[in-house]
């Protein structure tokens, strides 16, 4: 046995190996040590291997899912080695001492889960692969629990942002890839060759050409091939259900890098929790599929104005007609998760209950589609979705006739095929039932014959049907002439058999076995019938999810008094009464009121410099406007009185930072890396929020960096930007930057206390109120008094000398400085290029060197 185990362990590589032994999965050696610690189960030992006791632990087969969930969550991968023959087959193959053959039937990883108990019903479970070819990059991603399969054409500079958007459970790359730092697993290079990828896709979908699915670059084929190869590896040749791939480009969605996603907490907080994120504040969906789709919408806001407006039209219809909205949400609330039930059936891990969920879900979808199809002047998106809800009448009828109202999860015990569906099955059941009635009659007869009222006929998996009496009554039945045969003695009871019982038991057992076999055959046929329509069923699941999202966004808008944003082609950002949905919800819980604020950015007023005290609401104001852009382009109403927005192609947020010690970066270094990315990538259509740039270094360095960043954004990037700062010296830039305006968050001191008004007004702040904020924070009076004295001294010095901003008014404009530097460099290079080195005498060379040195010093 150990030789078989070690061979399977070698095949499992870095996975923990679950080795099936009877009713348990056993783990040995290091796997046992790891699993016992992760699962908090006993570590034992047995036998010897190479002179040492073998560590081992085990988990019951019936409870495997719970243990798997904990191991996967802890970051482990698990290979399942199951018995692939019965003991009888093993004996027939190799004699009475034959070892039952086992094989790895599946590798369970975080990205290949389909079991309901292992998945979050409200979150997608992506497995992604990055492909590279000919300088191009693509990402293939699949959620095998629903069969969704996407390919995203991108480039090397945006691949990490796409991975951050998807937040996949697993990311697979080639062992020769440049993206190894993004990977959770490395696979052989041959898996990512574009030619092999094309062949795999053709085999998977049974087509001679991929033209019907769209145009695929070599990188897209490499990514898709690598992903399919990995899924095939984990499924051990039994590929899960994948729908034909949808190809898209990163330009189709608003670009949001990983730092911005974390800063804005779009779908998860900085701690990784859903609660407290924008998604959590917006989500009013009533189905798991709807919640998953909403998460994807918020993670990837659209760039197509027509597509956004199509979503908004449907949201508006539900928003304006509350009766329709409530009716639709009530219908959706009662429906099961059709997509994931289909995924389990397609993966070969389905149950009778999954078929029942398909039946109920498709029937409910049909009824909903009938109602929605009758709506007059329906929005275009609803007109497209309603027909996808119908068209499964034959399958619904089949499953309704074949299945009991509430099919069980476990198929082994039968009882899921309805009466009158199969006459032969009904006869077998009747035979079994007649046998059970005969057994009940025998029990009554035996009680009368023996005079033992406590006599019972029972059944177990070892003895089958048997007679059980208390030990004190057993002696008369032990006699040879009693007609009973002794089978087993236990503490307190004795068990017997009898010829009449044996005959009836055989009939009952045979009828039961034949009935189970018949039900199993029906289960296979019904599953096959369902999978024959899997593409259209998946389309129905998608339509239900989109309707749920639209109705949920309408519910959220009605609940919060949100407005529909108007999207335009020119660069503007006009919001009246804007609010931060997460902060507003938190304040409402404590009985407070959120202070709404306006913003108006345009071509001629595209950069707001916002000053004011800490705790005044600057960061909230910045973030709420970024979130409004995300919600509007995701197809949602926005938390504002009104909004008119020009489409945002890239969103950047540099608000708050923390150390990244694992990569050797301090807080200030992280801030500079993020700011550099903004200056390098932001376009005139981008929206940027920057908070306290330069605060992590010396005052002079910080001010200099902040000054240069403001100028660069104004002159070079020319994007819409909200820039919050405590460097009041930056307000001087309003005199030289025509598209920059000054704003501040209002605060007042009243009887020595600071009152924060959280209102954004025009003009610079007159004071920073830092000491007042320190008083609010509880700083000791002595320290506050000393801080006030130091501040008075510093301000007196600034009045005399002009402070750290002295001389800044004499600086040339940003563009002029860059031009001058570039010109100087060009002059030096021109002079160098004109020198004929081979023709120089030693004296000429010396003179040239002095001349070049002089140019470099200018």
């Amino acid at each position: 046995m150990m030789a078989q185990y070690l061979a399977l362990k070698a095949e499992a590589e870095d996975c923990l190996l679950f080795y099936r032994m009877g009713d348990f999965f056993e783990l040995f050696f290091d796997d046992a040590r790891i699993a016992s610690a992760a699962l908090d189960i006993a570590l034992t030992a047995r036998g010897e291997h190479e002179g040492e006791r073998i560590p081992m632990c085990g988990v019951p087969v019936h409870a495997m899912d719970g243990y798997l969930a904990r191991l996967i969550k802890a970051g482990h991968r698990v290979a399942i080695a199951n018995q692939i023959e019965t003991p009888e087959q093993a004996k027939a193959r190799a004699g009475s001492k034959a070892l039952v053959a086992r094989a790895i039937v599946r590798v369970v990883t975080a990205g290949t889960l389909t079991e309901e108990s292992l998945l979050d019903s409200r979150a997608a479970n992506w497995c992604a692969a990055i492909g590279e070819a000919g300088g191009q990059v693509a990402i293939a991603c699949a959620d095998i629990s629903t069969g969704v399969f996407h390919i995203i054409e991108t480039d090397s500079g945006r691949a990490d942002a796409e991975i951050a958007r998807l937040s996949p459970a697993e990311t697979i790359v080639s062992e020769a890839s440049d993206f190894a730092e993004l990977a959770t697993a490395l696979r052989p290079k041959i898996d990512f060759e574009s030619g092999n990828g094309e062949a795999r896709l053709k085999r998977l979908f049974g087509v001679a050409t991929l033209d019907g699915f769209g145009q695929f670059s070599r990188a897209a084929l490499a990514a898709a091939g690598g992903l399919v190869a990995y899924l095939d590896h984990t499924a051990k040749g039994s590929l899960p259900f994948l729908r034909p791939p949808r190809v898209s480009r990163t330009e189709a969605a608003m670009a949001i890098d990983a730092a911005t996603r974390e800063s804005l907490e779009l779908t998860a907080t900085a701690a990784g929790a859903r609660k407290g994120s924008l998604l959590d504040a917006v989500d009013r969906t009533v189905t798991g599929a709807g919640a998953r789709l909403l998460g994807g919408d918020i993670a990837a806001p659209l760039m197509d104005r027509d597509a956004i407006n199509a979503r908004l039209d449907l949201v508006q219809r539900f928003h304006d007609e509350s009766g329709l909205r409530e009716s639709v949400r009530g219908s959706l609330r009662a429906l099961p998760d059709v997509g994931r039930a289909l995924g389990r059936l397609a993966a070969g891990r389905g149950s009778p209950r999954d078929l029942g969920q398909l039946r109920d879900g498709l029937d409910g979808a049909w009824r909903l589609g009938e109602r929605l199809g009758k709506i007059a002047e329906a929005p275009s998106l609803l007109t497209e979705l309603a027909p996808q809800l119908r068209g499964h009448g034959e399958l619904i009828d089949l499953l309704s006739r074949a299945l009991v109202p509430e099919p069980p999860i476990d198929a082994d015990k039968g009882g899921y095929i309805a009466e009158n569906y199969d006459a032969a099955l009904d006869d077998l059941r009747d035979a079994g039932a007649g046998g059970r009635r005969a057994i009940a009659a025998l029990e009554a007869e035996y009680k009368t014959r023996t005079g033992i009222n406590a006599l019972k006929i029972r059944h177990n998996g070892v003895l089958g049907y048997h007679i059980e009496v208390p030990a004190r009554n057993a002696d008369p039945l032990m006699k040879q002439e009693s007609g009973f045969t002794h089978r087993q003695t236990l503490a307190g009871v004795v068990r017997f058999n009898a010829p009449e019982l044996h005959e009836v038991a055989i009939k009952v057992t045979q009828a039961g076995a034949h009935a189970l076999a018949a039900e199993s055959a029906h289960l296979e046929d019904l599953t096959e019938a369902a999978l024959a329509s899997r593409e259209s069923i998946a389309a129905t699941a998608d339509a239900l999810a989109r309707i749920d999202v639209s109705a949920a966004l309408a519910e959220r808008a009605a609940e919060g008094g949100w407005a529909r944003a108007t999207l335009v082609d020119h660069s503007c950002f006009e919001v009246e009464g804007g609010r931060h949905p997460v902060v507003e919800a938190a304040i409402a819980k404590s009985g407070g009121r959120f202070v709404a604020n306006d913003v108006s950015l345009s071509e001629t007023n595209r950069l707001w410099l916002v000053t004011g005290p800490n705790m005044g609401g600057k960061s909230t104001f910045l973030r709420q406007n970024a979130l409004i852009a995300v919600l509007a382009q995701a197809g949602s109403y926005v938390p504002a009185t009104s909004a008119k927005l020009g489409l945002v192609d890239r969103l950047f947020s540099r608000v708050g930072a923390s150390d990244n010690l694992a990569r050797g970066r301090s807080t200030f270094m992280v801030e500079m890396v993020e700011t550099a990315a903004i200056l390098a990538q932001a376009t005139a259509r981008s929206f940027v929020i920057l908070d306290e740039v330069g605060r992590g270094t010396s005052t002079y360095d910080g001010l200099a960096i902040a000054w240069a960043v403001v100028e660069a954004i104004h002159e070079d990037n020319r994007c819409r930007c909200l820039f919050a700062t405590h460097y009041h010296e930056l307000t001087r830039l309003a005199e030289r930057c025509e598209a920059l305006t000054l704003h501040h968050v209002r605060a007042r001191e009243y009887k020595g206390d600071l009152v924060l008004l959280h209102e954004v007004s025009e003009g610079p702040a007159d004071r920073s109120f830092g000491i007042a904020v320190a008083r609010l924070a509880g700083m000791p009076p002595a320290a506050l008094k000393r801080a006030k004295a130091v501040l008075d001294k510093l301000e007196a010095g600034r009045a005399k000398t002009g402070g750290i901003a002295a001389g800044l008014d004499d600086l040339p404009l940003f563009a002029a400085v860059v031009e001058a530097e570039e010109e100087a460099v060009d002059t030096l290079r021109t002079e160098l290029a004109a020198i004929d080195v081979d023709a120089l005498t030693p004296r000429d060379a010396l003179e040239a060197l002095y001349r070049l040195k002089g140019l470099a010093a200018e």
Side-chain angles (χ1 to χ4, degrees):
M1 185 208 81
M2 194 49 62
Q4 184 189 65
Y5 169 84
L6 292 172
L8 291 170
K9 178 58 185 172
E11 182 185 342
E13 299 174 337
D14 60 342
C15 300
L16 300 178
L17 181 63
F18 270 31
Y19 182 84
R20 178 73 179 264
M21 294 180 68
D23 292 332
F24 279 79
F25 282 111
E26 302 289 355
L27 299 96
F28 300 97
F29 301 107
D30 287 344
D31 286 2
R33 296 187 181 96
I34 293 169
S36 66
L39 301 175
D40 193 24
I41 57 177
L43 180 68
T44 60
R46 60 168 287 178
E48 287 191 359
H49 179 71
E50 295 181 353
E52 295 185 6
R53 296 277 286 170
I54 301 172
M56 66 175 291
C57 66
V59 301
V61 171
H62 68 85
M64 177 183 71
D65 283 359
Y67 291 107
L68 274 180
R70 291 166 63 185
L71 289 173
I72 296 299
K73 189 174 182 180
H76 300 292
R77 303 163 74 237
V78 181
I80 308 294
N82 224 327
Q83 297 172 349
I84 57 174
E85 63 180 0
T86 65
E88 292 73 21
Q89 290 171 328
K91 290 177 183 177
R93 171 177 55 81
S96 60
K97 295 186 177 181
L99 183 65
V100 174
R102 292 174 176 83
I104 296 177
V105 296
R106 180 188 173 197
V107 177
V108 184
T109 67
T112 60
L113 302 174
T114 58
E115 289 82 354
E116 193 173 7
S117 59
L118 303 182
L119 291 169
D120 180 353
S121 65
R122 303 185 72 79
N125 193 58
W126 294 110
C127 183
I130 304 176
E132 305 156 78
Q136 299 174 310
V137 178
I139 299 171
C141 55
D143 182 347
I144 68 167
S145 69
T146 57
V148 175
F149 187 12
H150 290 167
I151 298 175
I152 305 146
E153 304 266 13
T154 184
D155 55 59
S156 57
R158 296 176 69 168
D160 57 344
E162 285 298 320
I163 292 296
R165 173 179 72 81
L166 292 166
S167 187
E170 286 187 275
T171 302
I172 315 302
V173 304
S174 161
E175 57 194 5
S177 172
D178 293 333
F179 297 98
E181 66 177 15
L182 298 176
T184 57
L186 300 177
R187 298 294 299 163
K189 183 178 178 181
I190 193 172
D191 287 355
F192 288 83
E193 290 183 359
S194 58
N196 292 339
E198 182 175 7
R200 283 195 185 94
L201 289 179
K202 288 178 179 177
R203 284 197 303 271
L204 176 62
F205 296 109
V207 295
T209 176
L210 299 176
D211 291 348
F213 301 143
Q215 297 299 313
F216 296 86
S217 67
R218 287 180 56 210
L221 292 171
L227 179 60
V228 172
Y230 179 71
L231 295 177
D232 192 37
H233 163 73
T234 58
K236 293 302 172 185
S238 180
L239 265 173
F241 166 49
L242 290 179
R243 297 164 66 182
R246 290 184 188 172
V247 183
S248 62
R249 292 199 58 81
T250 50
E251 291 82 359
M254 181 193 293
I256 310 175
D257 62 23
T260 300
R261 290 180 187 280
E262 183 176 353
S263 170
L264 297 178
E265 300 183 316
L266 296 182
T267 57
T269 64
R274 191 179 194 271
K275 188 170 181 59
S277 67
L278 173 65
L279 174 60
D280 179 61
V282 172
D283 189 5
R284 297 296 183 271
T285 56
V286 294
T287 70
R292 297 193 295 270
L293 181 59
L294 178 60
D297 287 351
I298 289 177
L302 299 177
M303 284 299 297
D304 184 335
R305 190 151 59 98
D306 290 340
I308 297 169
N309 281 324
R311 290 183 183 178
L312 286 171
D313 287 344
L314 183 53
V315 173
Q316 182 172 356
R317 188 60 173 266
F318 284 130
H319 177 269
D320 295 347
E321 298 185 23
S322 59
L324 173 64
R325 182 175 74 244
E326 286 305 314
S327 171
V328 167
R329 283 167 59 80
S331 297
L332 290 170
R333 192 176 282 111
L335 298 184
D337 196 330
V338 173
R340 285 200 164 164
L342 178 64
R344 288 189 291 274
L345 290 166
R349 301 165 199 153
S351 68
R353 192 178 75 167
D354 291 319
L355 284 172
Q357 288 185 338
L358 284 191
R359 174 199 62 198
D360 299 340
L362 294 177
D363 184 51
W366 177 285
R367 297 174 191 278
L368 180 60
E370 287 288 296
R371 285 176 18 227
L372 295 178
K374 297 174 182 177
I375 292 177
E377 298 180 3
S380 60
L381 185 55
L382 185 58
T383 302
E384 177 186 331
L385 295 172
Q388 297 176 24
L389 300 178
R390 304 190 294 270
H392 305 287
E394 186 177 344
L395 179 61
I396 295 169
D397 179 65
L398 173 63
L399 296 177
S400 298
R401 289 187 294 106
L403 297 172
V404 297
E406 295 184 8
I409 295 177
D410 188 2
D412 293 342
K413 297 179 181 178
Y416 47 87
I417 298 297
E419 289 184 18
N420 302 320
Y421 177 70
D422 178 352
L425 175 60
D426 290 344
D427 290 342
L428 289 170
R429 287 173 169 169
D430 288 342
R436 284 188 288 275
R437 286 192 293 271
I439 287 173
L442 278 176
E443 180 180 294
E445 180 187 335
Y446 292 154
K447 285 181 179 179
T448 302
R449 187 199 306 177
T450 61
I452 304 172
N453 289 328
L455 181 148
K456 300 288 183 183
I457 294 181
R458 300 190 183 279
H459 180 274
N460 64 33
V462 177
L463 299 180
Y465 286 98
H466 57 273
I467 301 157
E468 184 176 283
V469 299
R472 63 179 181 276
N473 301 123
D475 288 347
L477 277 64
M478 288 286 193
K479 297 176 181 178
Q480 188 171 359
E481 65 274 14
S482 68
F484 297 93
T485 305
H486 175 252
R487 296 295 307 277
Q488 189 178 41
T489 299
L490 299 175
V493 297
V494 181
R495 291 169 175 170
F496 299 87
N497 204 346
E500 305 93 334
L501 177 60
H502 181 66
E503 290 177 10
V504 175
I506 289 176
K507 293 178 182 178
V508 172
T509 303
Q510 288 179 343
H514 291 156
L516 285 175
E519 288 202 70
S520 180
H522 286 309
L523 181 63
E524 290 183 16
D525 292 342
L526 294 171
T527 300
E528 186 176 339
L531 294 181
S533 303
R534 58 188 178 184
E535 294 296 340
S536 58
I537 293 173
T540 297
D542 289 348
L544 288 170
R546 175 56 63 196
I547 291 169
D548 185 22
V549 168
S550 300
L553 291 175
E555 179 75 11
R556 184 65 182 90
E559 173 188 308
W562 292 11
R564 175 174 178 168
T566 301
L567 300 170
V568 296
D569 289 327
H570 62 277
S571 181
C572 71
F573 200 97
E574 300 172 12
V575 176
E576 292 184 11
R579 311 186 299 278
H580 192 302
V582 180
V583 177
E584 183 180 26
I587 291 175
K589 285 183 179 178
S590 60
R593 183 182 66 86
F594 187 92
V595 179
N597 280 296
D598 303 343
V599 64
S600 179
L601 301 175
S602 63
E603 290 282 357
T604 58
N605 181 22
R606 60 180 177 271
L607 199 164
W608 277 24
L609 193 68
V610 185
T611 54
N614 287 310
M615 302 295 294
K618 297 191 301 297
S619 296
T620 299
F621 175 67
L622 267 58
R623 283 190 172 102
Q624 76 188 35
N625 286 294
L627 297 183
I628 284 172
V630 169
L631 288 171
Q633 290 183 221
S636 169
Y637 276 36
V638 298
T641 304
S642 68
K644 183 167 77 171
L645 312 177
L647 289 178
V648 174
D649 67 344
R650 292 170 179 251
L651 180 66
F652 295 97
S653 170
R654 223 293 327 149
V655 181
S658 58
D659 291 338
N660 191 335
L661 300 181
R663 299 182 67 176
R665 291 176 177 176
S666 65
T667 301
F668 181 67
M669 184 61 176
V670 171
E671 176 186 309
M672 289 299 98
V673 167
E674 293 174 3
T675 305
I678 293 170
L679 297 182
Q681 299 173 30
T683 72
R685 300 180 69 196
S686 300
F687 186 74
V688 175
I689 60 172
L690 290 159
D691 189 15
E692 306 295 351
V693 170
R695 65 181 170 181
T697 185
S698 72
T699 303
Y700 283 95
D701 283 355
L703 174 59
I705 290 169
W707 186 289
V709 169
V710 172
E711 286 189 331
I713 287 175
H714 183 274
E715 298 296 328
D716 287 354
N717 301 103
R718 305 182 71 82
C719 57
R720 291 159 288 179
C721 176
L722 300 175
F723 191 109
T725 185
H726 281 293
Y727 290 126
H728 290 268
E729 294 78 8
L730 294 180
T731 58
R732 298 187 182 195
L733 284 167
E735 300 169 8
R736 59 176 63 203
C737 297
E738 73 281 356
L740 182 152
T741 55
L742 303 178
H743 302 265
H744 69 283
V745 289
R746 295 181 61 206
R748 290 288 179 268
E749 279 191 293
Y750 179 73
K751 294 183 179 180
D753 292 328
L754 179 65
V755 180
L756 300 171
L757 303 177
H758 303 296
E759 296 175 1
V760 177
S761 299
E762 292 185 358
D766 53 359
R767 296 174 56 191
S768 75
F769 297 101
I771 292 177
V773 173
R775 183 183 295 111
L776 281 178
M779 186 175 282
L784 290 171
K785 185 176 180 181
R786 178 59 176 167
K788 182 68 170 63
V790 173
L791 177 63
D792 291 342
K793 194 74 173 175
L794 290 173
E795 288 182 338
R798 181 174 62 185
K800 291 181 180 179
T801 65
I804 63 172
L808 288 180
D809 291 334
D810 299 329
L811 275 175
L813 290 174
F814 179 80
V817 173
V818 174
E819 238 177 73
E821 289 181 358
E822 288 180 351
E823 187 178 344
V825 173
D826 288 345
T827 303
L828 185 60
R829 290 183 177 179
T830 302
E831 187 70 23
L832 276 169
I835 296 174
D836 185 357
V837 178
D838 294 332
L840 290 177
T841 65
R843 184 178 182 82
D844 291 337
L846 185 61
E847 288 176 354
L849 184 60
Y850 278 117
R851 188 168 65 254
L852 292 171
K853 186 176 179 181
L855 286 172
E858 289 180 4

